[in-house]
Amino acid sequence: MPSLSLRIQLDPEGRVGPGKIELLEKIGALGSISAAGRAMEMSYRRAWELVDELNTLFGKPVVERQTGGRNGGGARLTELGKALITRFRAVEQAATAAAAEHLAALQAEIDRPADR
């Protein structure tokens, strides 16, 4: 079945898509930028660059790093980071629902045997 992949253009330079949202979700679940990056098979540097892009785009943190201590550092989502995930997933669900009929029609064209 066809599916949609959503990317939201927020300003001329800022985009939010499924990869950044998945990274935020993994940071929220794992409590670490490096662990989230590893889970997505990307380097810490790349994961941090994506987080930094989001922090810069919104003008405030979506992820806050926590400094070390006895158990080491980590990272946590801010309220904005949590809201970004929730809003992105809501837009994604609405777009999928709105397109469902058209996606099914496209799939039916693929499944239909060629006229001979």
Side-chain angles (χ1 to χ4, degrees), residues 11-34:
D11 72 14
E13 300 297 321
R15 290 180 298 280
V16 177
K20 288 178 183 171
I21 295 301
E22 182 183 355
L23 178 62
L24 292 180
E25 289 170 334
K26 293 209 182 298
I27 291 169
L30 301 172
S32 163
I33 295 170
S34 60

Side-chain angles (χ1 to χ4, degrees), residues 86-113:
T86 299
R87 291 183 186 282
F88 182 89
R89 294 299 184 202
V91 170
E92 187 176 57
Q93 285 180 333
T96 298
E101 178 182 338
H102 300 290
L103 293 174
L106 288 171
Q107 185 64 48
E109 291 298 328
I110 293 169
D111 294 341
R112 188 171 295 142

